[in-house]
Amino acid sequence: ETGVTQTPRHLVMGMTNKKSLKCEQHLGHNAMYWYKQSAKKPLELMFVYNFKEQTENNSVPSRFSPECPNSSHLFLHLHTLQPEDSALYLCASSQQETQYFGPGTRLLVL
Amino acid sequence: GENVEQHPSTLSVQEGDSAVIKCTYSDSASNYFPWYKQELGKRPQLIIDIRSNVGEKKDQRIAVTLNKTAKHFSLHITETQPEDSAVYFCAASTAGNTPLVFGKGTRLSVIA
C-alpha cells in the first residue's frame, strides 16, 4: 500500500492558480505514469516516463506539465486549469508490465 | 494501436453467485493481461494477471481465461461476497514497459 505515494490527497484550486502534484515510488521501478480518472473516461493515460525520459504524451493540453527529476519522483505541474479538469489524478510505476498505482489526488477546479 | 473493449459496464449478482466480466483486444502482439479492482475511493489494485503463454490462471475464488485466437479474456469470480463489490478494469499490453491499455471498467454490485 505504501509503495507508491501521492501528495496532496485532495486539492481545490481556482482557474488562475498554479499547483503541483507529487508522486514518489519506493519500489525501485524505472517507469512512472500519470493517469486522469473521471466519470467520462475511467483511466486515461496522460504521460509516461521511462528512466526519467518522457516516452509518451497522450495529447495532453499544455496546462498540464510533467516533470521527472529521477526514477523515483514524478510531478505534475498545473496552471490555468478548467473546471472540466476536475478529476482523480493517479500516478503509477512499473518495472516490467505490471503497474502499481498510488492513492491519487482528488482535484477540484473552481 | 491497441484497443480494449470491456463488457458489461455494470453487473449485479446475488451473493454466492458467480460473476463474469469479458474483454476483447485488437492487437495480436499483446501478451500481458492484468485485472485491477478499484473499491470506492481507493486506488486500482492488481488482483490477477495472465500472460499469453497460459490459457487459464486461478487464485482462490478468482480466475482469468485467455483465448488468443479470438483475442478475448475473461475474469471469473465465484461465490461472490459483498466485499467483491467494486469497479473492475481489464488491460492489455505487450512486453516491457509498454503502457497498459485499459478497458472502461465494470461496476460489480454483489447483493446480500
Side-chain angles (χ1 to χ4, degrees):
Chain A
E1 287 285 336
T2 59
V4 183
T5 58
Q6 289 185 243
T7 55
R9 295 294 308 277
H10 302 272
L11 179 62
V12 180
M13 60 186 290
M15 289 189 284
T16 58
N17 289 160
K18 290 184 179 181
K19 296 286 184 183
S20 295
L21 310 185
K22 179 183 176 181
C23 175
E24 185 173 358
Q25 59 97 358
H26 310 274
L27 301 169
H29 292 168
N30 53 29
M32 297 186 77
Y33 312 78
W34 279 117
Y35 288 87
K36 177 184 178 181
Q37 188 172 43
S38 61
K40 292 184 179 180
K41 293 186 178 182
L43 274 170
E44 184 181 2
L45 181 66
M46 301 175 73
F47 301 104
V48 181
Y49 278 82
N50 271 294
F51 295 100
K52 304 187 299 178
E53 299 297 321
Q54 186 179 130
T55 55
E56 190 150 338
N57 175 337
N58 216 20
S59 302
V60 180
S62 59
R63 57 186 184 269
F64 295 91
S65 175
E67 178 189 0
C68 188
N70 55 61
S71 295
S72 299
H73 294 85
L74 185 65
F75 295 89
L76 188 62
H77 303 299
L78 317 171
H79 62 96
T80 328
L81 293 193
Q82 304 298 311
E84 58 264 30
D85 296 322
S86 298
L88 180 68
Y89 288 84
L90 289 161
C91 172
S93 71
S94 70
Q95 182 63 25
Q96 292 292 328
E97 303 95 343
T98 306
Q99 290 183 19
Y100 296 90
F101 286 87
T105 295
R106 176 72 62 185
L107 174 66
L108 177 62
V109 181
L110 300 176
Chain B
E2 176 65 276
N3 183 49
V4 176
E5 299 283 341
Q6 183 171 347
H7 300 280
S9 56
T10 60
L11 179 61
S12 291
V13 298
Q14 291 291 131
E15 183 179 359
D17 288 351
S18 295
V20 181
I21 303 170
K22 298 182 179 181
C23 289
T24 61
Y25 61 99
S26 60
D27 188 350
S28 56
S30 289
N31 57 10
Y32 175 66
F33 308 93
W35 287 87
Y36 287 82
K37 174 184 180 183
Q38 187 175 25
E39 296 177 67
L40 189 62
K42 296 191 176 180
R43 74 187 80 192
Q45 290 199 299
L46 178 73
I47 55 172
I48 195 167
D49 57 13
I50 191 168
R51 288 178 167 79
S52 59
N53 57 346
V54 176
E56 183 177 2
K57 184 176 178 181
K58 288 183 179 180
D59 183 4
Q60 299 182 340
R61 295 187 298 108
I62 60 172
V64 57
T65 59
L66 171 65
N67 183 327
K68 288 173 55 181
T69 303
K71 289 190 281 189
H72 66 71
F73 56 111
S74 301
L75 178 71
H76 304 254
I77 306 174
T78 59
E79 301 174 28
T80 53
Q81 301 168 3
E83 51 265 39
D84 294 328
S85 296
V87 178
Y88 291 81
F89 293 96
C90 65
S93 78
T94 56
N97 278 329
T98 306
L100 293 171
V101 177
F102 285 89
K104 292 188 176 181
T106 296
R107 183 173 300 279
L108 173 65
S109 299
V110 179
I111 304 165

